Each structure stands twice: as C-alpha cells, then as structure tokens.
Amino acid sequence: MIEKENMSFSKEFKEAISNLPDKEKDKLLFRLLRKDMKLANRLYFELISDYSVEEEREKVREALGKQIQSISNDHYSIGYLSMDVRSLSGIINEHVSTTKDKIGEIELNIFLLIEVLSKNKDRIFRSHPSKAQKFSTAVVARVFKILLLINKLHPDFRLEFKDELAELGNIIGDNPYIMKMAIFNGLDVNWLTSRDIPEDIEEIYKDLRSRGYLR
C-alpha cells in the first residue's frame, strides 16, 4: 500500500512498473493524463509544441493585456477587480505549470500589476476605504511574492527586472491606498525604485506573516 502523504515509491514497485508490457504502460499513462491536465499540458508542450518558452510567454502577455484593457473599460466595483486579478493570475500560473518559465512568472506578474494599477487608479481611489485597503493589501502581498521569486534567481538575471520594478514602485507610490498598505505591511517601496532587494527578504516576509501582516 502506498501512503498518499509519502509519494516515494519502492524499488520493487518501480521495477514492476518498468516490466509491464508497453501497451499496458501506455494505457495506464493516458488514463493518468486524463486525470491530470497540468501534467498533460506540460508533456504536450515539451514533446509536441512548436513554440518556445519565450513565445508562449509573449502569447500570455498579449492575452493578459487584452483582458486587462477589457475589464478596465467596464465600470464596476473593486471587489470584481480583485476577482479578475485572481483569474488573470490563474493564466500565469497555468503558463508556469506548463513551461516551468521562472523568468516569465516574474515578468508576467509585474506586467499584471503595472497594467491593472495604472489603468484602474481612479477606480481604486474612489472605492470604499475598507475595500480599497483589502485590495491594496493583496497587491502588496503579490509584490512580496515577486521579490521573493527574484531573490531566488542568479544575480545576473535580477538586473533584467530593474526598470519594470522601478515603474511598479512609482505606481504604488502614486496611489495613496496602496502606499499606505505598503507601509503598514512592511514593504519598503524603495526596494523597487532603487532596485535594491534585501538579501534577507525571505526572513522579512516570514516575520511579517508570523505577526499577522499581509493578510
């Protein structure tokens, strides 16, 4: 019996699977893939797709841009805007799951925030303070996520995001609600504008979460 909590397989089990007839292994594989579309999409990308990771990333960027423009043209509450941001994040997550695009995960999340915040500044400002603060806290938490991802990269790759981070920092600094929540939740916007992410950003983040911030 294999315990779900411990997904390591014994040597005997692996050998038994390897010794199955090819036809039986194929049937088992396709049955499993039908139940795991993330794995199926990843295998399709790796084995069949003619597009590179960079090309797939650009397709996602274009799709995000069109959807952000569409939702920004409609007049509705900041609560719906929050739902839309989560939905758009799902598109990024699906891309990353399929392609393992670590650079794209950062680049697309920065793009998402820049586009949403710049196109909806007035909407956020006109919202009820409690709802605007909730939305702004989620934004700050997402910025921390981006900084954590960048900090895991080799230093040479971190420089690729300096201009976009500075732009994002300026947008946050120009939005009273988001800037207030950034200060309250321990996000120093200078980390973005000066391109100087603390080496201990992960410890800072964990400490803030342990004290109830970013929620």
Side-chain angles (χ1 to χ4, degrees):
M1 180 67 68
I2 299 172
E3 295 181 4
K4 189 173 182 179
E5 292 77 10
N6 182 8
M7 292 302 290
S8 60
F9 302 125
S10 68
K11 180 179 178 181
E12 292 77 12
F13 181 66
K14 292 178 181 179
E15 289 179 351
I17 294 294
S18 297
N19 291 329
L20 285 172
D22 289 343
K23 188 174 181 180
E24 185 66 23
K25 280 192 284 189
D26 288 345
K27 288 171 62 178
L28 287 173
L29 175 61
F30 289 124
R31 186 182 302 170
L32 291 171
L33 289 176
R34 280 194 291 270
K35 296 180 179 180
D36 190 343
M37 288 308 300
K38 287 185 178 180
L39 177 59
N41 286 333
R42 189 167 82 238
L43 286 177
Y44 183 90
F45 173 73
E46 293 176 353
L47 301 175
I48 302 296
S49 177
D50 293 328
Y51 293 101
S52 67
V53 172
E54 292 76 17
E55 289 171 328
E56 289 288 348
R57 185 193 307 162
E58 189 57 33
K59 286 165 59 179
V60 173
R61 178 193 288 271
E62 291 178 4
L64 290 174
K66 290 179 181 178
Q67 292 195 44
I68 292 170
Q69 186 62 58
S70 178
I71 65 177
S72 300
N73 288 338
D74 296 329
H75 181 74
Y76 59 112
S77 73
I78 195 171
Y80 282 107
L81 181 61
S82 296
M83 292 172 59
D84 284 327
V85 170
R86 287 194 293 271
S87 176
L88 295 171
S89 296
I91 296 175
I92 298 175
N93 293 338
E94 183 177 349
H95 166 74
V96 175
S97 175
T98 299
T99 63
K100 302 302 178 185
D101 183 9
K102 294 182 179 180
I103 299 296
E105 182 175 16
I106 298 168
E107 184 179 305
L108 293 170
N109 271 289
I110 295 175
F111 175 77
L112 171 61
L113 287 183
I114 288 175
E115 291 296 297
V116 168
L117 297 182
S118 61
K119 287 180 168 57
N120 293 275
K121 178 182 176 182
D122 292 339
R123 176 180 298 170
I124 298 169
F125 184 75
R126 293 195 305 267
S127 300
H128 189 279
S130 63
K131 293 184 178 180
Q133 289 177 9
K134 183 177 181 180
F135 174 82
S136 299
T137 299
V139 168
V140 172
R142 191 175 295 275
V143 173
F144 263 106
K145 174 187 175 182
I146 290 170
L147 296 180
L148 289 168
L149 290 171
I150 292 175
N151 203 49
K152 292 179 181 179
L153 296 176
H154 187 279
D156 291 345
F157 287 108
R158 298 178 195 175
L159 297 175
E160 293 186 17
F161 307 103
K162 61 179 183 178
D163 293 336
E164 289 81 4
L165 286 178
E167 182 179 359
L168 178 58
N170 289 327
I171 290 172
I172 291 173
D174 197 38
N175 190 303
Y177 281 126
I178 302 178
M179 188 62 185
K180 179 180 178 181
M181 288 299 99
I183 295 171
F184 178 78
N185 286 283
L187 174 67
D188 187 343
V189 176
N190 289 318
W191 297 341
L192 307 177
T193 56
S194 65
R195 303 108 172 169
D196 188 20
I197 304 172
E199 290 294 330
D200 61 343
I201 185 69
E202 188 169 352
E203 287 71 26
I204 293 172
Y205 175 75
K206 288 180 179 178
D207 177 63
L208 289 167
R209 293 279 297 180
S210 70
R211 291 191 284 129
Y213 294 99
L214 299 168
R215 300 180 187 277

